[in-house]
Amino acid sequence: MTDMRIAFIGTGNMNGAILEGALKAGVSKDSVVVTTRSAESAEAWSKNQGIEALSQQEDERANLRAVSGADVVLMGVKPHMMVEVLTELAPELKPDAVVVSIAAAVSVEQLEAAVSAGQPVVRTMPNTPLQYGSGVVGLVRGTNATDEHVRAVSQIFEGAGRVFEIPESQIDALTAVSGSGPAYAFFLAEAMAKGGVELGLDPEFARELAAATVAGAGAMLAQDEREPAELRRAVTSPGGTTEAAINTMAAEGFSEAVVAGQKACADRAAEMAG
């Protein structure tokens, strides 16, 4: 990784989180160049991280300059802009540079059609906890991406989360579980806090309790080797308070509602890609 030149095209929340994770994982600041829309944002990256930062506000060719000579190009632009921006950048890309997309609903086929024939591409689906070093990233290799390309891209992401290589046929399912999954956890915390208020707790205290509990349960899931069902059973004493809650939630269709929501998510992802 130390010999790679890495260009981050667009440095919003997600690409910024990937960059910060990569730097913490040991990527050299001298090997990185980023582009931003505003001069102010570019100045902040340069000042705070000591990396080369170019702004489109000051130089309309900033993206072209950034990708020239880069070995890895992480595309952090909006999905509806991805093909247009990649088409513009294609002539400046090194033939063996791997192009990495973090955009939802943009297929490998669309990415490969926007660049020169034979250009390696990788499609990824990261989730928002990446911003806190606890993300999940689904990775799909394109037709021309080698094991070496996948290894290099994975190492960049691993500074901020776990990487799972999957076939593109599974990307919508992964989106339904991990891509959109943080929102389900937030929804659960929201409902738990609401329940606490209805039981007489102060709203702010209920929110704090719910957030801490969901975060703690997540830490247990990450660090304990037992399956989720086993962890649940371990805190569900027969005839106890937790069993009363779980039984009621099950009767209300909790699991079925979650699965139905995931199916709706996957269907919508496929619809957007189409």
Side-chain angles (χ1 to χ4, degrees), residues 73-134:
V73 177
L74 278 102
M75 300 293 297
V77 301
K78 300 293 185 183
H80 70 277
M81 299 170 57
M82 181 62 70
V83 170
E84 178 184 349
V85 174
L86 260 185
T87 301
E88 178 186 354
L89 297 180
E92 293 294 325
L93 296 171
K94 289 170 54 178
D96 61 343
V98 57
V99 175
V100 184
S101 167
I102 65 171
V106 182
S107 68
V108 165
E109 182 180 5
Q110 290 172 305
L111 296 171
E112 290 181 338
V115 295
S116 301
Q119 190 83 52
V121 305
V122 168
R123 177 185 178 185
T124 66
M125 171 53 65
N127 66 7
T128 54
L130 203 74
Q131 298 173 43
Y132 297 90
S134 299

Side-chain angles (χ1 to χ4, degrees), residues 8 31 38 48 115 136 166 187-188 224 253-254 274:
F8 289 78
S31 68
S38 71
N48 297 335
V115 295
V136 172
I166 59 172
F187 199 18
L188 173 60
D224 198 303
F254 180 85

